[in-house]
Amino acid sequence: MTEVPQKKIGVFDSGLGGLMIAKALRDAMPDYDYLYLGDTLHMPYGARSAEAIYSYCKAAMDYLFSQGCQIIVMACNTASALVLRRLQQEYLPTSQTADKRILGVVIPMLEYAQDQGFQNIGVIGTEGLIKSRIYAQELHKIDPAIQITEQATPLLVPLIEHGGEKWLEAIISDYVQEFEKAKIEALILGCTHYTLIYDAIAGLMPEVSLLSQDRIIPDKFGDYLKRHPAQEARLSRNGTMSFALTDVTDSFRQSAARLIGYNPDLDHVVLDT
Ligand code: DGL
């Protein structure tokens, strides 16, 4: 009997935060097959050059497609900002990947903010993401009347990665001052890691609606599949989920078990960067 090739949904991130997006996608659409890849060897991406991130991401896409992914959700905001377009324009049109897709998270988040009718929003993210100005640029294509205030919050990823929760309140309070002045109605958590500190941010900004990717991307991805039935029809449906990392550490193992509720098998992969 010939084996039917798997056509999985790949979820790519630099590290831990992408697990939350993969888990949220699977919780919302449990029939499909998922493969999460975290580039933990090269994380954090936040202060790296676009050139370095492109070479990591291209190798990561090669790996995910070689493992049978049909569509890849580029969960990492920093990579979505700095290299997604180049991957779509230069990398995807090659013959091995021409029928495949790589989808980012920036535009779906902005569409959601617009659908909700917010007129004054904020974004937090890594230094690379905020310097790229991608949220402001894409928002102005969708609706130039919506105001946007952007703030880099580079200390948050290291604090989350190293268990520094006790300093979060002081640091977040300092970072959000611009948003208080701007009187934003909603704040986009523009980094997968921030899904993990949702409650801490919500506690400090109770009057602001927090737009968190684990709560928004699954519905937006579901909409994408409805609008692209030929892509959807290609996806395999065995309800599996697997995990791969470019560096497997005990601390990731422990955090992953806590976040997804069981001890996952973590495959170690070496990317050809
Ligand atoms: N996951 C990345 C993002 O969403 C941030 C973490 C990093 O700096 O690697 O932007």
Side-chain angles (χ1 to χ4, degrees):
M1 203 171 81
T2 35
E3 212 179 302
V4 180
Q6 297 287 295
K7 295 284 186 184
K8 300 176 197 164
I9 297 167
V11 180
F12 176 71
D13 190 30
S14 56
L16 207 53
L19 268 187
M20 297 296 282
I21 311 301
K23 178 180 182 298
L25 284 165
R26 197 203 177 178
D27 287 347
M29 289 165 280
D31 292 347
Y32 299 122
D33 296 304
Y34 296 89
L35 170 56
Y36 159 84
L37 172 63
D39 188 12
T40 43
L41 183 64
H42 300 116
M43 111 114 231
Y45 277 12
R48 289 199 186 275
S49 67
E51 211 45 52
I53 294 176
Y54 185 74
S55 102
Y56 304 150
C57 288
K58 187 167 163 298
M61 301 300 109
D62 275 343
Y63 171 76
L64 287 167
F65 288 134
S66 78
Q67 297 302 303
C69 290
Q70 174 65 29
I71 304 178
I72 296 171
V73 177
M74 171 72 84
C76 180
N77 290 255
T78 311
S80 287
L82 297 181
V83 306
L84 178 62
R85 183 153 301 158
R86 187 170 165 203
L87 285 169
Q88 288 169 334
Q89 289 173 352
E90 291 177 24
Y91 168 82
L92 267 188
T94 62
S95 59
Q96 299 93 324
T97 49
D99 69 328
K100 309 222 173 7
R101 296 291 176 268
I102 308 173
L103 308 177
V105 288
V106 170
I107 294 171
M109 292 302 288
L110 290 168
E111 286 172 353
Y112 179 86
Q114 187 201 27
D115 286 350
Q116 296 297 305
F118 296 120
Q119 288 302 312
N120 187 356
I121 64 175
V123 183
I124 54 174
T126 64
E127 207 179 303
L129 176 90
I130 298 301
K131 265 198 197 143
S132 77
R133 307 230 52 222
I134 189 161
Y135 273 99
Q137 284 164 6
E138 294 297 336
L139 178 67
H140 290 138
K141 289 182 202 160
I142 295 172
D143 187 344
I146 302 178
Q147 285 184 50
I148 185 163
T149 306
E150 297 162 289
Q151 172 72 48
T153 50
L155 293 177
L156 295 183
V157 169
L159 280 183
I160 295 163
E161 288 281 332
H162 297 104
E165 283 80 7
K166 67 176 177 183
W167 289 288
L168 278 176
E169 187 176 331
I171 289 173
I172 296 170
S173 306
D174 190 71
Y175 279 147
V176 300
Q177 287 175 30
E178 283 307 308
F179 299 130
E180 282 158 9
K181 279 188 225 147
K183 299 200 184 339
I184 59 166
E185 303 161 76
L187 178 65
I188 294 178
L189 307 186
C191 173
T192 52
H193 275 70
Y194 306 163
T195 57
L196 302 165
I197 54 167
Y198 183 97
D199 290 341
I201 303 174
L204 292 167
M205 309 184 81
E207 69 296 348
V208 170
S209 301
L210 296 189
L211 310 186
S212 181
Q213 294 174 339
D214 55 334
R215 298 169 187 223
I216 293 170
I217 293 302
D219 274 359
K220 294 302 255 177
F221 184 68
D223 288 349
Y224 171 87
L225 293 180
K226 281 192 200 115
R227 285 183 283 107
H228 297 85
Q231 282 290 338
E232 198 274 343
R234 291 189 177 110
L235 296 174
S236 55
R237 289 172 181 73
N238 303 297
T240 65
M241 175 133 187
S242 38
F243 302 88
L245 296 176
T246 53
D247 188 25
V248 180
T249 60
D250 284 344
S251 83
F252 193 99
R253 207 179 279 290
Q254 284 157 13
S255 303
R258 181 167 44 85
L259 295 177
I260 61 176
Y262 62 92
N263 250 318
D265 286 335
L266 300 172
D267 286 338
H268 178 227
V269 302
V270 178
L271 296 182
D272 187 12
T273 53

